[in-house]
């Protein structure tokens, strides 16, 4: 009698024979595919963001123009300094008008609405552009506008980079983080520039490079900036400068100290 033939053991399925490392190799490939898909969808996400946030996107673009034309004023390779100076102030006025539209959307010719309007920082910056639009171009006037634009454009650029991808444009992210780290010092430097423009405006008037109303209007601008609710850096700068000059007066000879104290008293009487 024939013996029963032994059947060979069944082969394992493909899934059983597949080593565990193959599934681990597929995970990086899947993550790379997701990154490529996200990179391909980045322009669509940016376009949708620009359409949804049209005013904020326009403010960001105008601030980039301020930075570009300020660099063009320092390095007049593509345009003249007069043209770059005017374009910076025009872009700053456009930024201010859009900011006012966001902060005071329901404008009306009433005392309460006008009080709100003149209390806004955007109104102050628009007044700044109007004051210096017809004077002789100078870099000192452009520095506060450029520094504010650098701060605000950096923060919004970081939001746009996050839309593209968390690991995209690392060089730009490093520059933005450096700007944000120095934000307090940038605002402090802006406040001191605004202070020093006041005697410079008086000097320009005596040199016939600015009108008689330029220092008067700029004094009103400083009064409004001094009372700003959202930006106290000008008040802080005046306080630091007063302490520094009081210390200098205490260490100086009597005659020099009296002159310094007289100047401090004069500035304090002009303060609101």
């Amino acid at each position: 009698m024939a013996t029963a033939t032994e059947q060979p053991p069944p082969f394992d399925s493909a899934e059983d024979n597949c080593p565990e490392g193959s599934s681990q190799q597929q995970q990086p490939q899947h993550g790379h595919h997701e990154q490529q898909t996200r990179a391909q969808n980045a322009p669509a996400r940016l376009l949708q963001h620009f359409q949804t946030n049209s005013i904020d996107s326009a403010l960001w673009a105008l601030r980039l123009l301020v930075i570009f034309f300020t660099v063009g004023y320092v390095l007049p390779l593509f345009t003249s300094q007069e043209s770059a100076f005017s374009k910076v102030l025009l872009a700053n006025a456009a930024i201010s008008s859009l900011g006012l539209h966001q902060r005071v959307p329901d404008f009306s010719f009433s005392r309460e609405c006008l009080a709100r309007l003149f209390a806004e920082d955007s109104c102050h910056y628009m007044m700044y552009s109007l004051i210096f639009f017809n004077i002789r171009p100078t870099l000192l006037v452009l520095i506060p506008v450029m520094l504010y634009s650098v701060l605000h454009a950096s923060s919004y650029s970081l939001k746009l980079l996050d839309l593209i991808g968390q690991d995209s444009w690392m060089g730009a992210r490093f520059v933005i983080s450096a700007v944000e780290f120095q934000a307090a010092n940038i605002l402090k430097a802006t406040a001191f520039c605004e202070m020093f423009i006041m005697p410079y405006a008086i000097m320009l008037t005596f040199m016939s490079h600015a009108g008689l109303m330029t220092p008067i209007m700029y004094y009103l601008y400083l009064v409004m900036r001094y009372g700003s609710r959202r930006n106290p850096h000008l008040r802080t700068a005046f306080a630091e400068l007063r302490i520094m000059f009081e210390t200098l007066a205490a260490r100086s000879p009597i005659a020099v100290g009296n002159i310094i104290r007289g100047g401090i008293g004069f500035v304090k009487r002009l303060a609101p």
Side-chain angles (χ1 to χ4, degrees):
M1 190 171 82
T3 60
T5 59
E6 294 181 357
Q7 296 180 356
F11 289 102
D12 293 337
S13 62
E15 294 181 356
D16 295 335
N17 288 333
C18 181
E20 296 180 357
S22 62
S23 61
Q24 294 178 357
Q25 292 176 359
Q26 292 177 358
Q27 292 179 357
Q29 295 177 358
H30 181 67
H32 182 67
H33 178 70
E34 288 183 351
Q35 291 179 357
Q36 289 181 343
T37 305
R38 186 175 180 86
Q40 292 174 357
N41 294 334
R45 287 197 303 272
L46 286 175
L47 182 60
Q48 182 180 3
H49 178 82
F50 290 150
Q51 293 175 349
T52 307
N53 305 275
S54 57
I55 295 181
D56 291 335
S57 301
L59 288 172
W60 173 72
L62 287 170
R63 285 167 179 140
L64 292 182
L65 287 178
V66 166
I67 298 171
F68 174 77
F69 286 122
T70 303
V71 175
Y73 177 86
V74 179
L75 302 173
L77 301 178
F78 305 103
T79 182
S80 64
Q81 287 187 324
E82 292 79 7
S83 177
F85 183 83
S86 300
K87 290 175 181 177
V88 170
L89 295 182
L90 284 174
N92 183 56
I95 292 170
S96 303
S97 62
L98 289 176
L100 280 176
H101 176 71
Q102 287 183 321
R103 300 288 299 178
V104 190
D106 51 346
F107 176 76
S108 62
F109 288 98
S110 62
R111 181 178 299 178
E112 293 79 8
C113 187
L114 289 176
R116 282 182 54 198
L117 186 71
F118 285 105
E120 292 293 334
D121 291 346
S122 297
C123 180
H124 307 164
Y125 304 145
M126 181 179 290
M127 182 178 177
Y128 185 92
S129 294
L130 296 176
I131 291 171
F132 294 111
F133 189 76
N134 290 322
I135 72 164
R136 181 179 181 179
T138 177
L139 181 60
L140 184 61
V141 173
L142 300 183
I143 290 177
V145 179
M146 185 200 64
L147 291 179
Y148 281 128
S149 296
V150 167
L151 282 177
H152 290 91
S154 298
S155 60
Y156 198 79
S157 297
L158 184 61
K159 183 185 298 185
L160 296 179
L161 290 177
D162 290 337
L163 289 175
I164 298 175
Q166 293 293 334
D167 298 330
S168 61
W169 294 73
M170 297 306 297
R173 290 178 182 274
F174 176 77
V175 174
I176 292 172
S177 62
V179 171
E180 292 181 344
F181 182 74
Q182 297 293 332
N185 292 329
I186 292 175
L187 289 173
K188 185 177 180 180
T190 304
F192 276 102
C193 282
E194 291 177 341
M195 289 172 50
F196 297 145
I197 288 174
M198 183 71 234
Y200 184 73
I202 297 174
M203 184 176 66
L204 287 177
T205 302
F206 282 106
M207 295 172 61
S208 299
H209 294 159
L212 182 62
M213 294 299 295
T214 299
I216 298 175
M217 296 301 295
Y218 190 73
Y219 167 71
L220 296 177
Y221 166 82
L222 282 182
V223 169
M224 291 190 295
R225 298 298 301 138
Y226 191 88
S228 174
R229 295 170 296 181
R230 299 175 58 193
N231 191 346
H233 294 88
L234 186 62
R235 294 193 298 271
T236 304
F238 270 109
E240 292 180 0
L241 202 63
R242 178 176 59 83
I243 293 173
M244 183 182 70
F245 276 105
E246 287 178 349
T247 304
L248 181 63
R251 297 177 180 178
S252 301
I254 297 176
V256 177
N258 290 333
I259 294 174
I260 295 175
R261 293 187 186 93
I264 294 173
F266 175 74
V267 175
K268 288 174 67 176
R269 286 191 295 270
L270 294 176

